[in-house]
Amino acid sequence: MKFFRNNQSSVSGLALAALVSVSSCFLEATPAFAKAPAKTQPAILTASAIAVADKYSADAAEQIFKEGGNAVDAAVAIAFTLAVTYPEAGNIGGGGFMTLYVDGKPYFLDYRERAPLAATKNMYLDDKGEVIKGMSLFGYRAVGVPGTVDGMWQAQRRFGKLQWKQVLAPAIHYARDGFEVSQQLQDRRDDAAKDFAGKTNFDTYFGTLKQGVNFKQPDLAAVLTRISDQGAKDFYSGKTADLIAASMRGHGLITKTDLQQYKAVWRQPIQADWNGYRVYTAPPPSSGGIGLVQLLKMKADIAPDFKDVTLNSAQYVHLIAEIEKRVFADRAQYLGDPDFYKVPVAQLTADAYLAKRAAEVNPTTPSDTKSVQPGLGTSMPEKVETTHFSVIDKWGNAVSNTYTINGYFGSGVVADRTGIVLNDEMDDFSAKPGVANMFGVVGSDANSIEPKKRPLSSMSPTILTKDGKVSLVIGTPGGSRIFTSIFQVITNIYDFNMPLADAVGAMRFHHQLLPPNTIFWEPYKPIEGELAKQIEAKGYTLKGQDFSGDIQAIKVNGDTPDAAADPRGRGVTRVIQ
């Protein structure tokens, strides 16, 4: 019996199978982690399916399904595995969002990072009140309190079928015994190292990471083993918490108290009806779910303007940019952490409001940027290097999960003696209202820095259902480009009837209010030639930017799932019978 299909590691499948067997027996003998036997349910799909960021996490998920795990078990195994094999974005030193559909009901888990207790509103400003370049991006002071471990722990304890040790076993294996480094991973390491040079301890841990070489992470393996034995407790109040706090002492703001006080939060997902489907997506502190619903509904409101307009033509790009312009005006003004600020979710997603906003679209020329204001009035107050995975099991349960350490390899800080890459998520706050972050987007006081506050995000893990059954599981990295990318793929699928793989691989573009009348294009399918001339003739500036994203999607056709991984990344899909 093999543990991982297509496994290129030095450890045999037989040895790993034994490891899991031993781990499972050990856990079953540990009362604190005991689970009641799962009830047998009839399968409603012909297979389970995954769309993930790399082959190692795909192997991990496949093994979990073969052991009888469900979509949540597989998702947690994927997340921990990516923390090892996709270290530029997969993580336990960051945070994220998980949208779930389990036993016919939607759920949303917010395990976004929080600002440390010692954080202050002006912590990234100099004595003249100006933003200090790079302080929120590199080094210890850029780090928010990580949430991934508690998020995975809560999700698996609530909905998983397997024992906790089983879902950790693949990640421990890859950390302890190594995995073969891809060329893309080395390229990203090399680029990141230039930014971190002389500022962090990044090279101490990742200086030997080279394409084709088996890369081992013994410190991280020890951390994962403790988490396997003790659950989230180790990370937030045990030895790992002590090591993180010691590493930050004298450099950053995070203390053991910050870790002890962290808790992931179950929230109500954004829900909307669109085109005969029910959309479940991310609520604040994500801006993405609201933005996605606004885009979908406003496009439907001006459907006559799209009649006979060719996908990704100059006129199509213009109309979508007009909608996006208004979405980003609302984003900058109204969105932040709902635990600190009353976000007007109902108003921003109301049909009447969106119809009014859509009516402002100029169908022929770009609206003047200064004239596009937040639609509710001013009285109401992610770098692209994230990763996403989509999972559905044969029982029809689904997980759409997006998590991040923000920039590639986060802050560049690796907590000493842990191998944990720490995030630079503090850059997602508004260091100064009206000043753009690394994605070029601005924010208001609703997203200012406060202790325990979660920074605004664009992550938008999304699930569409029809008649109570999952139809689409989708998400992507991409910073402020996340929800505009998801919107384009959903439109490709349902408005243009494209096959899933074609919809994911099609050209994508982006506009976000500022810079004025600028259309960003991606290097994978650049806007050039006659199309570029036509767009520029409408009054737009074209700008290339590496925001291609990495869409991972699963579409259910009848009772058969179909999965697509973005050709822009090193993603892998599996349909598991």
Side-chain angles (χ1 to χ4, degrees):
M1 162 178 162
K2 278 196 173 183
F3 185 82
F4 291 119
R5 186 158 66 91
N6 300 327
N7 186 2
Q8 299 180 15
S9 78
S10 60
V11 175
S12 72
L14 184 62
L16 273 167
L19 180 153
V20 172
S21 176
V22 171
S23 296
S24 302
C25 292
F26 179 89
L27 188 56
E28 288 165 359
T30 308
F33 292 82
K35 275 183 179 287
K39 294 180 180 179
T40 302
Q41 296 173 283
I44 65 171
L45 299 180
T46 59
S48 301
I50 54 172
V52 297
D54 76 358
K55 62 182 180 181
Y56 302 108
S57 57
D59 287 342
E62 183 168 356
Q63 180 60 31
I64 292 299
F65 280 134
K66 288 180 178 178
E67 292 180 9
N70 64 10
V72 178
D73 293 313
V76 174
I78 290 165
F80 278 105
T81 297
L82 290 173
V84 179
T85 65
Y86 204 90
E88 69 267 44
N91 69 85
I92 60 171
F97 299 138
M98 181 184 289
T99 302
L100 309 93
Y101 197 75
V102 180
D103 295 334
K105 296 180 181 179
Y107 302 88
F108 182 83
L109 181 59
D110 169 5
Y111 58 96
R112 181 77 161 143
E113 302 91 332
R114 298 199 317 189
L117 292 168
T120 62
K121 182 176 182 179
N122 299 324
M123 63 184 287
Y124 298 121
L125 305 183
D126 62 21
D127 55 8
K128 297 179 181 178
E130 301 299 325
V131 176
I132 301 171
K133 187 177 180 180
M135 184 175 282
S136 63
L137 289 173
F138 310 122
Y140 295 84
R141 291 178 65 84
V143 182
V145 182
T148 294
V149 174
D150 191 57
M152 295 303 127
W153 170 254
Q154 289 203 38
Q156 205 275 336
R157 298 310 296 164
R158 182 171 183 177
F159 294 119
K161 294 176 65 178
L162 300 184
Q163 303 299 327
W164 177 249
K165 278 182 174 289
Q166 288 175 271
V167 299
L168 266 290
I172 293 170
H173 154 58
Y174 287 122
R176 183 190 62 219
D177 302 309
F179 67 96
E180 185 177 322
V181 175
S182 69
Q183 184 62 57
Q184 185 186 63
L185 175 53
Q186 184 191 322
D187 291 344
R188 290 175 174 176
R189 188 222 75 89
D190 293 346
D191 288 343
K194 297 172 187 174
D195 290 330
F196 302 142
K199 302 171 187 172
T200 75
N201 62 346
F202 178 75
D203 276 343
T204 301
Y205 284 85
F206 290 97
T208 61
L209 189 151
K210 300 292 181 185
Q211 188 270 331
V213 172
N214 189 58
F215 184 65
K216 298 179 181 181
Q217 300 169 80
D219 286 346
L220 186 57
V223 167
L224 293 170
T225 300
R226 287 196 298 272
I227 293 172
S228 176
D229 291 340
Q230 303 170 35
K233 179 180 178 182
D234 167 71
F235 190 92
Y236 293 97
S237 61
K239 181 176 180 178
T240 298
D242 290 333
L243 291 171
I244 293 171
S247 183
M248 296 293 287
R249 194 172 298 123
H251 304 288
L253 302 182
I254 294 176
T255 65
K256 189 171 182 179
T257 300
D258 284 304
L259 293 164
Q260 290 171 329
Q261 292 187 6
Y262 182 88
K263 285 295 178 187
V265 180
W266 291 94
R267 303 190 188 277
Q268 289 297 314
I270 296 287
Q271 303 184 31
D273 291 317
W274 170 81
N275 201 26
Y277 294 88
R278 188 71 170 164
V279 180
Y280 298 105
T281 187
S286 174
S287 67
I290 290 174
L292 176 61
V293 169
Q294 289 183 320
L295 289 169
L296 290 169
K297 289 196 170 187
M298 279 197 276
K299 182 177 183 294
D301 285 334
I302 58 171
D305 291 328
F306 284 93
K307 182 175 172 56
D308 299 325
V309 174
T310 302
L311 175 65
N312 293 334
S313 63
Q315 179 63 6
Y316 187 85
V317 171
H318 163 68
L319 290 172
I320 297 300
E322 279 286 288
I323 299 170
E324 291 176 340
K325 188 173 288 187
R326 286 153 179 83
V327 170
F328 274 91
D330 283 354
R331 181 193 192 277
Q333 183 64 36
Y334 303 126
L335 300 181
D337 185 346
D339 294 336
F340 285 74
Y341 163 78
K342 187 173 177 57
V343 180
V345 175
Q347 294 100 310
L348 289 170
T349 56
D351 289 346
Y353 170 72
L354 294 175
K356 173 177 171 287
R357 292 293 268 167
E360 300 167 3
V361 166
N362 187 323
T364 56
T365 58
S367 300
D368 177 55
T369 299
K370 293 181 181 178
S371 72
V372 180
Q373 298 297 319
L376 297 176
T378 56
S379 61
M380 303 184 71
E382 301 112 75
K383 273 173 181 172
V384 301
E385 296 82 2
T386 300
T387 192
H388 176 87
F389 52 85
S390 296
V391 186
I392 192 166
D393 63 32
K394 64 183 180 181
W395 301 288
N397 304 307
V399 172
S400 181
N401 187 91
T402 314
Y403 70 158
T404 184
I405 42 177
N406 208 28
Y408 278 145
F409 297 98
S411 63
V413 173
V414 183
D416 294 330
R417 296 169 57 201
T418 70
I420 299 170
V421 181
L422 295 171
N423 66 83
D424 63 328
E425 215 63 63
M426 294 297 288
D427 186 66
D428 275 0
F429 283 112
S430 295
K432 181 180 180 181
V435 176
N437 71 356
M438 68 193 296
F439 301 110
V441 292
V442 298
S444 67
D445 278 330
N447 190 39
S448 62
I449 302 169
E450 294 182 57
K452 291 189 176 183
K453 194 175 188 179
R454 289 169 161 86
L456 187 61
S457 171
S458 294
M459 293 183 291
S460 313
T462 298
I463 296 173
L464 271 63
T465 66
K466 193 164 192 173
D467 300 326
K469 297 180 180 179
V470 173
S471 295
L472 184 71
V473 188
I474 190 169
T476 186
S480 59
R481 283 77 171 155
I482 287 175
F483 58 91
T484 61
S485 295
I486 294 172
F487 162 73
Q488 288 175 77
V489 175
I490 290 176
T491 297
N492 294 346
I493 296 168
Y494 294 108
D495 287 353
F496 291 91
N497 298 313
M498 296 175 67
L500 183 61
D502 293 346
V504 170
M507 182 190 94
R508 298 200 282 265
F509 58 90
H510 176 80
H511 173 67
Q512 59 180 40
L513 185 66
L514 297 173
N517 298 329
T518 299
I519 303 294
F520 292 95
W521 52 264
E522 52 160 347
Y524 180 73
K525 290 197 174 179
I527 296 176
E528 54 192 4
E530 185 60 29
L531 177 59
K533 292 177 183 177
Q534 292 173 0
I535 292 173
E536 289 170 341
K538 286 184 172 292
Y540 290 101
T541 299
L542 291 170
K543 185 175 180 181
Q545 188 163 326
D546 188 9
F547 71 93
S548 296
D550 196 13
I551 293 272
Q552 308 293 337
I554 300 169
K555 184 174 184 288
V556 179
N557 304 305
D559 61 358
T560 304
D562 177 29
D566 206 314
R568 295 157 177 85
R570 60 184 192 266
V572 171
T573 64
R574 299 268 171 86
V575 175
I576 301 147
Q577 300 299 325

